[in-house]
Amino acid sequence: MTRAPRTLVVRLDSAGDVLLAGPAVRAVAAGSSCTGLLCGPAGAPAAALLPGLDRILVHEAAWVGLAAPRTSREECDLLLDALAAEHFDRALVLVSYHQSPLPAALLLAMAGIGEVAADCVDYPGSLLALRHRRRAGRHEVEAALDLARAFGFPLPPGDDGALRVLRPPDTVGLTGPEPYVVVHPGAAVPARAWSAGRAAGAVAALHGAGHRVVVTGGPGERPLTARVAGRHTLDLGGGTRDLGQLSGVLARARAVVTGNTGPAHLACAVGTPVACLFAPVVPPERWRPYGVPHVLLGDQGAACAGTRARVCPVPGHPCLDSVPDEDVLAAVSALLARPAPARPADEGAAP
């Protein structure tokens, strides 16, 4: 009987990117004897939440990230030794439509991984066993699943391909027992977030409309969340110890209002509807909330559309800051009126 392969999935970007790779990871795990993920430091907290993984390796790649580091022979040698020690047979390199998989594919070849697959428009030489062509307009989740399927890893029967994480912890001690709406005002990329003043106005409007609001953010966002929360809503900025605990806060929320950032995808993974302030600097068909009821807010025809800008190039940040309170309230009301889709039971316990 042929042994199932030991397979590595590579996704070197942010926590949100790693969450979007989750369905493909489960597809690979269903056909592998051991499944590993090679991710960057920013993606490692999300990797710890994904069902199906046996190994997590972390490498800060010089060709990825907002402030990519310089590389060195010593760092590459450490990565090659770690990969070689795992004896992976096959690997999938997951990249966004504008990225090249070939730097990662070269390192995988040097580590002795015999078969590598990736979406690739550049000539790969001998680096790829499968040079896959990404279909136009595919969401990141669907594109990753397409690649996995083409490489012999379809989703197993009964898996709907939705985003999923390990069972969220009970966070009632942080939030209190009452129903609430989460507003997550920050983002790693400033162009994808409301200004602080605009977010504070929306939170005040939600509170005035009778919603209990919980404002979330990381430890470095405490000044932002304090300003946005004001005096009448719960400020959890820096109050969740890790991404797993944030998943618990989001899982109990009735809806989440956030930009195109990791917590939007984490909300999807726990089945919570999302009102997404989506700056059109990247295409919504590739990055919008996936698999849950959602509403996109923001001017998708703004001058910044398609620029991949990290800082808004248009004075006043009109694509998001022009969204009125009435639209935010209407989006939340519409989401609360819709039943959430049926989801499989949560897998395992939170880490």
Side-chain angles (χ1 to χ4, degrees), residues 236-321:
L236 283 185
T240 49
R241 67 174 181 269
D242 54 26
L243 207 61
Q245 198 168 48
L246 179 60
S247 76
V249 173
L250 298 177
R252 294 187 61 252
R254 300 183 68 202
V256 175
V257 181
T258 182
N260 174 26
T261 187
H265 305 306
L266 187 58
C268 296
V270 296
T272 302
V274 179
C276 186
L277 292 141
F278 200 100
V281 290
V282 294
E285 64 267 19
R286 295 187 174 109
W287 299 100
R288 67 193 302 154
Y290 189 82
V292 300
H294 64 274
V295 176
L296 291 187
L297 297 168
D299 179 6
Q300 299 306 303
C304 63
T307 62
R308 299 208 305 270
R310 295 174 180 174
V311 177
C312 181
V314 183
H317 200 21
C319 69
L320 296 186
D321 277 7

Side-chain angles (χ1 to χ4, degrees), residues 49-197:
L49 302 182
L50 293 184
L53 285 175
D54 302 299
R55 304 280 191 275
I56 298 173
L57 295 87
V58 180
H59 175 69
E60 191 168 14
W63 59 94
V64 175
L66 303 181
R70 293 186 63 85
T71 192
S72 68
R73 180 171 179 171
E74 291 75 17
E75 289 173 347
C76 289
D77 284 344
L78 288 172
L79 174 62
L80 294 177
D81 290 345
L83 290 171
E86 293 290 346
H87 302 287
F88 291 114
D89 304 297
R90 312 182 87 196
L92 285 79
V93 182
L94 302 181
V95 291
S96 299
Y97 70 100
H98 60 278
Q99 296 172 326
S100 171
L102 296 184
L106 176 60
L107 289 173
L108 298 178
M110 295 173 67
I113 299 176
E115 296 183 70
V116 179
D119 289 334
C120 187
V121 297
D122 300 316
Y123 175 65
S126 62
L127 294 178
L128 297 181
L130 173 63
R131 179 193 185 190
H132 189 256
R133 298 285 183 165
R134 178 174 177 147
R135 289 165 56 187
R138 294 291 270 174
H139 194 281
E140 290 294 301
V141 172
E142 296 163 344
L145 285 171
D146 289 345
L147 175 63
R149 188 182 307 109
F151 205 40
F153 297 108
L155 280 169
D159 192 324
D160 62 358
L163 301 188
R164 199 170 302 150
V165 291
L166 299 174
R167 184 179 301 125
D170 184 355
T171 53
V172 69
L174 287 174
T175 62
E178 300 88 355
Y180 56 86
V181 171
V182 164
V183 174
H184 188 90
V189 178
R192 301 183 192 177
W194 259 335
S195 66

